[in-house]
Amino acid sequence: MPLAVAPVAVIPAQNLMILLLQLGLLLGLATVLGRLAVRLGLPALLGELSAGILIGPSLLANIAPDFSAWLLPTDPARFHMIDAVGQLGVLLLVGLTGMHLDLGFIRRQGRTAAWISGMGLIIPLVLGVGIGFLAPVEMIAEGVDHTVFALFLGVALCVSAIPVIAKVLMEMRLLHRDIGQLILSSAVVDDVVGWLLLSVVSALATAGARTGQAALTAIALLAALVLVAILLGRRVVARVLRAADRGGSATTIAAVTIMILLSAAATQSMGFEAILGAFVCGALVGSAPDLKVARLAPLQTLVAAVLAPIFFATAGLRMDLTELAKPPVLVAGIVVLTVAIAAKFAGAYLGARIARRTKWEALALGAGLNSRGVIEVIIAMVGLRLGVLTTASYTVIVLVAVVTSMMAPPLLRYAAARIAPTEDESVREEFFDTLQGSDRELVTTAKEA
């Protein structure tokens, strides 16, 4: 007779209390600081990141170290519970973003997107590698080959952040505009190539001679992912939505959430980031003919108001800005930041002009794609885990992520205001407004029901 398996112990009461306190405090600070940032004309995510910075090692750990150690234990198992909630938020955010993607527009603008993303990748990658070779030894982890560090820095500087760009475009109501679609399309290409390059650099850091094999495997898996999404994914998503439609809004929301999470798990298992699967799934859902957009408005509200702010706040918890008090780190940060901004902007601007876009469109593209946000933070964390980066170089890369995300909205707003809208944009605006949903519409629907 088989022995009975003891049930898994539930979370201890003390740990649950601290987790709820952490989430409540993070969300409260993120909401207040996010609204303050919006009032100042900055993206809400900047305030949400600041919430984590305030109660993380940058401030609270220095002012009240004992209270900080109690509120934010360094035990990975307990800290990862906060990360899990944040990851749920970013996956749903990216999935909802994918629903706004106009696939027909991307096909029509394929050449333009290729030029923009190509130049926006190559120029910062080359200059980032160059800076990496000139970096002082304090920035490179002990025992790491200088070439590996240089390549890693180049990859970190060439990416764009889909979650950050998506949230900025949503807040500025630019997702329905052609320029918003083009920024998002180029960012997708940037991120896909960026993850491929990261896999190569990671292989260099850990596997050496197997780098070529790792790169070929990643490319083959990516091609398979795209092929499956096109040939099979659309049919599966359409059938699921058709079946969920009979159960009303709650069933549709559950079905979409399940598909996003399973797609994210699939790409994570393939060696790519989970957000890639969430975005692809969102794009398939958005292109489904039977999608009733209004039914997803409650999910959009929950993600935008609760889950996404928690994610950005948890990202801020990983930052330690006190490292910038060290002169070598500060000088390196200024150099890297300057090159990162100039190279990404110049690449996107040049690519847009080659593709015959107007100067205002090129300016908007350069401003939008300059946002690195949490994607660069994730890459920096990978560098720490692999032993490629020191705390100093990690802090510098995070600095680039924060500053570039802060710069994007004012430049993007200035340029977008000078771009004339097209007829197609009005159709997307109606879709966008329906998905966003206003509180008044939700109340009216509830009363009618």
Side-chain angles (χ1 to χ4, degrees):
M1 183 175 181
L3 296 176
V5 178
V8 178
V10 298
I11 181 173
Q14 176 74 4
N15 291 359
L16 177 59
M17 184 272 292
I18 293 178
L19 174 63
L20 295 175
L21 180 62
Q22 291 168 338
L23 293 176
L25 183 58
L26 282 174
L27 180 58
L29 280 175
T31 301
V32 172
L33 295 177
R35 292 306 92 201
L36 178 60
V38 170
R39 284 181 174 272
L40 297 175
L42 298 171
L45 67 95
L46 181 61
E48 292 159 3
L49 282 170
S50 299
I53 293 174
L54 288 177
I55 64 174
S58 299
L59 185 63
L60 185 61
N62 291 289
I63 296 177
D66 293 338
F67 177 69
S68 176
W70 176 82
L71 179 65
L72 297 168
T74 55
D75 176 19
R78 296 173 67 181
F79 203 94
H80 288 170
M81 289 191 294
I82 313 176
D83 287 339
V85 178
Q87 285 299 313
L88 175 63
V90 75
L91 291 176
L92 291 178
L93 172 63
V94 172
L96 290 171
T97 301
M99 295 179 201
H100 293 87
L101 196 61
D102 188 335
L103 297 177
F105 177 81
I106 295 176
R107 286 192 293 268
R108 293 193 301 272
Q109 299 293 330
R111 177 178 174 275
T112 301
W115 272 114
I116 295 167
S117 59
M119 298 300 292
L121 279 166
I122 293 173
I123 293 179
L125 176 64
V126 171
L127 292 181
V129 171
I131 294 176
F133 279 116
L134 299 176
V137 294
E138 292 82 3
M139 300 286 290
I140 307 171
E142 185 178 355
V144 173
D145 184 78
H146 213 126
T147 301
V148 173
F149 171 80
L151 290 172
F152 196 94
L153 184 61
V155 171
L157 297 191
C158 77
V159 297
S160 297
I162 291 177
V164 174
I165 294 172
K167 203 159 190 296
V168 170
L169 292 175
M170 282 184 180
E171 291 168 358
M172 298 179 65
R173 298 182 60 80
L174 289 175
L175 267 180
H176 68 281
R177 297 285 304 274
D178 283 358
I179 190 63
Q181 293 286 308
L182 197 51
I183 290 173
L184 203 54
S185 305
S186 301
V188 172
V189 177
D190 276 8
D191 274 4
V192 170
V193 176
W195 294 125
L196 286 172
L197 293 174
L198 180 62
S199 69
V200 173
V201 177
S202 299
L204 275 172
T206 58
R210 292 198 298 272
T211 300
Q213 179 183 348
L216 291 175
T217 300
I219 294 172
L221 288 174
L222 179 60
L225 171 66
V226 174
L227 191 62
V228 170
I230 294 174
L231 298 180
L232 183 62
R234 285 185 176 182
R235 297 180 182 180
V236 172
V237 168
R239 290 184 180 182
V240 170
L241 289 176
R242 197 176 301 119
D245 181 58
R246 294 191 289 268
S249 178
T251 306
T252 300
I253 289 175
V256 169
T257 302
I258 291 168
M259 289 190 292
I260 289 174
L261 295 180
L262 292 180
S263 299
T267 53
Q268 187 74 45
S269 68
M270 295 169 65
F272 298 108
E273 284 299 308
I275 60 172
L276 178 60
F279 188 86
V280 171
C281 180
L284 294 177
V285 170
S287 64
D290 298 320
L291 176 66
K292 289 183 172 60
V293 182
R295 292 187 171 183
L296 296 178
L299 178 62
Q300 171 77 25
T301 301
L302 175 66
V303 172
V306 179
L307 295 178
I310 288 177
F311 168 71
F312 288 112
T314 56
L317 288 176
R318 302 285 187 180
M319 303 178 186
D320 187 358
L321 300 182
T322 59
E323 287 289 331
L324 298 176
K326 302 174 182 178
V329 177
L330 180 60
V331 172
I334 293 173
V335 173
V336 172
L337 177 62
T338 302
V339 173
I341 294 172
K344 192 69 174 181
F345 183 88
Y349 187 92
L350 182 59
R353 296 298 282 167
I354 292 175
R356 299 181 180 179
R357 310 301 294 197
T358 68
K359 67 177 182 179
W360 294 116
E361 290 175 317
L363 178 62
L365 285 158
L369 293 177
N370 234 322
S371 296
R372 269 72 167 205
V374 291
I375 300 301
E376 192 159 19
V377 174
I378 292 172
I379 291 179
M381 292 170 68
V382 171
L384 277 179
R385 178 174 56 80
L386 294 175
V388 175
L389 303 180
T390 63
T391 303
S393 51
Y394 169 82
T395 304
V396 167
I397 292 176
V398 171
L399 173 68
V400 174
V402 173
V403 175
T404 53
S405 297
M406 184 171 59
M407 290 177 57
L411 288 175
L412 191 54
R413 186 179 295 110
Y414 178 80
R418 288 158 178 78
I419 302 173
T422 64
E423 294 182 2
D424 291 341
E425 292 177 1
S426 61
V427 177
R428 290 192 218 107
E429 184 175 18
E430 182 179 354
F431 179 93
F432 177 80
D433 288 340
T434 305
L435 184 57
Q436 286 287 89
S438 65
D439 292 336
R440 182 174 61 257
E441 290 171 338
L442 293 176
V443 171
T444 301
T445 302
K447 288 181 177 179
E448 291 176 350

